[in-house]
Amino acid sequence: MDAYESINRVLVHLFNDIWELEEKAVITDEFKDLTNNDMHIIEAIGLGDGNNMSAIARKLNITVGSLTTSMNSLVNKKYAIRERSEEDRRVVYIRLTKKGEKAYRHHEEFHRKMVESVLENLEEEEIPVLTKALDGVYKFFKSYNN
């Protein structure tokens, strides 16, 4: 098998497997009311004082309208809350609740384990090469629809 075929096989299987495995790993009994999509929205909201809907939608590369439906669900499930800005009442900030922060940390732990499993199989000098290759894949996906 040549390099092209090997890389293509790995990339196709990797993306599919990560999505499936991540769902199995992060959607536990405690978080069975969440979807993988919900977890990524929770990740985009982040910890701290919160973000407005536009900033979260930009992080996820989706429209505010698409985000609104998912956000309604997360608010109803008590993972997030909406708070109006004191300075400009038109601006709504989204912040994670304690339950949402717990889900965020649970998802973050999966990502930490995933990255550690990759790093433990590499020599120190191989890490910049992998980083450069993955950055190239990332740039391809970011520019593909532009």
Side-chain angles (χ1 to χ4, degrees), residues 35-102:
T35 65
N36 223 8
N37 187 51
D38 290 336
M39 280 293 197
H40 288 110
I41 293 170
I42 286 170
E43 179 182 39
I45 295 168
L47 301 175
D49 294 335
N51 280 305
N52 65 40
M53 291 284 284
S54 298
I56 296 166
R58 256 191 318 278
K59 284 183 185 179
L60 296 167
N61 201 26
I62 61 174
T63 66
V64 173
S66 297
L67 179 61
T68 298
T69 303
S70 296
M71 198 57 68
N72 288 341
S73 175
L74 288 174
V75 168
N76 289 337
K77 294 175 190 175
K78 310 280 192 251
Y79 286 95
I81 58 171
R82 289 181 171 98
E83 296 176 328
R84 292 220 176 261
S85 168
E86 294 297 323
E87 295 82 39
D88 184 345
R89 302 295 292 164
R90 296 170 297 177
V91 177
V92 177
Y93 290 101
I94 307 297
R95 189 171 50 82
L96 295 178
T97 62
K98 294 291 180 199
K99 184 178 178 183
E101 289 175 359
K102 190 171 184 183

Side-chain angles (χ1 to χ4, degrees), residues 109-122:
E109 179 66 10
F110 171 79
H111 282 245
R112 187 189 61 74
K113 287 178 181 177
M114 180 177 59
V115 172
E116 284 178 357
S117 76
V118 171
L119 293 175
E120 73 186 19
N121 292 303
L122 294 175

